[in-house]
Amino acid sequence: MRLSMIGWHGMFKKDFPIFKKTDMVYLDTAASAQKPAAVLRAMDRFYKTAYSNVHRGQCAWAAAATKAYEAARQNVADFIHADAANIVFTRGATDAVNLVAAGMAQTLKPGDEVLISIAEHHANFVPWQQACLKSGATFQVANILPSGELDRADFARKLTPRTKVVAITHLSNVLGVLNDAAALTRSAHAVGARILIDAAQSIAHVPLDVREIGCDFLVFSGHKLYGPTGVGVLYGPADALANLPPYQFGGDMIRQVAVSETTFADAPAKFEAGTPMIAEAVGLGAAVGYLNRIGWDKIRRHEEELMEYALAELAKIPEVRLMGTAEKQSVIAFTLDGIAAEDIGFVLGKKNICVRVGHHCAMPLHAHFGRAASARISFGLYNDAADIDRFIAALREGMRFFK
Ligand code: PMP
């Protein structure tokens, strides 16, 4: 273990009030991250000082709430190097993928193709499968290599002028493998396809620049970015959002409404029908501010050291089988020879160690590996070497029990 871990890892844990009075080891950030005090404070302050609905009110609270909501949009935009006009607040990554898939399904027709990968989370799998079933388009699924990396040759074979949409994960929530989003975007654009990047996992763990990636759509959830649940983001450049029909209809998304017809507002308002998640957006803006104050250098170093240490410790247990051997970021899924993943989860849970067991909303991926379920640990800023030590000790103890 590198000595630097002892120094500043504890510094982050103290930012998260939930850890103050518990011995809980939380290794489930890929499912949802814990919240720093900065986020809790921002939401509390908002409700206590400036709460109102946004956009149309005249009073000071309405103006302040609108300002806070739009400031959050700007914070999120800056975080991924986008313009605020290109940031749509959604309910989460799932909601954002459904928004795009429902819109694209209206133009897909038999003979068109949609290309995803076998490593997709169900959130970026089922909406496209259903869009294909509805429109008669063909659903294409690119393979991965035994290492867990995307099979680029298979991807290239399945990417043709018939491909209208590519939807692919940036960072797999099981394999921890980071795809080259910019390269995939260039390939998709070369055949005239739109591309959606699922950044639900990458957003909190790797710096992301949509100008470099160049994709048409990018989605993520606030709750995996140390922000609240109930808010997420769809990013799209102006032309991609302009060409996408609205997903839901109602207040705030219109320009003119008459009995005979309605004209819609420009994006992002076009996609934000109804009262949005105002305090949640404020909380997400604060989460981004928190990460900005730490800086990517420290975030990356912290996670790389945790990953290196955890992999080294797991490698000492001969029964451990990793899901994919390629370089991993922030997520390690594994099975144990002779012991069911559910049993591992049970033993660890009893010892106050939160890991996740099951298919992790990636059934096709598990089927591809011939495994029904796996155990998964995933890291956040609050984890430290002691968390991994306790996890490994409990895992060894559990293995003795089940053998
Ligand atoms: N994509 C990936 C890769 C994910 O890991 C998740 C959440 N586990 C999602 C999409 C969906 O995110 P949410 O449930 O927040 O909508």
Side-chain angles (χ1 to χ4, degrees), residues 30-31 92-95 121 123-124 169 171-173 198 200-201 221 223-224:
T94 303
D95 191 35
H121 185 281
N124 197 34
T169 189
L171 174 56
S172 159
N173 67 315
D198 174 1
Q201 288 298 336
S221 298
H223 70 96
K224 294 188 205 271

Side-chain angles (χ1 to χ4, degrees), residues 71-110:
R73 195 191 305 279
Q74 187 66 57
N75 288 348
V76 170
D78 293 345
F79 191 63
I80 60 170
H81 305 280
D83 288 336
N86 302 142
I87 299 294
V88 178
F89 281 127
T90 66
R91 213 163 51 78
T94 303
D95 191 35
V97 177
N98 275 278
L99 188 164
V100 179
M104 300 290 292
Q106 295 184 33
T107 52
L108 289 172
K109 51 186 187 325

Side-chain angles (χ1 to χ4, degrees), residues 76-83 207-212 235 296:
V76 170
D78 293 345
F79 191 63
I80 60 170
H81 305 280
D83 288 336
L208 219 149
D209 187 334
V210 291
R211 295 168 311 184
E212 274 170 24
Y235 154 82
W296 277 115

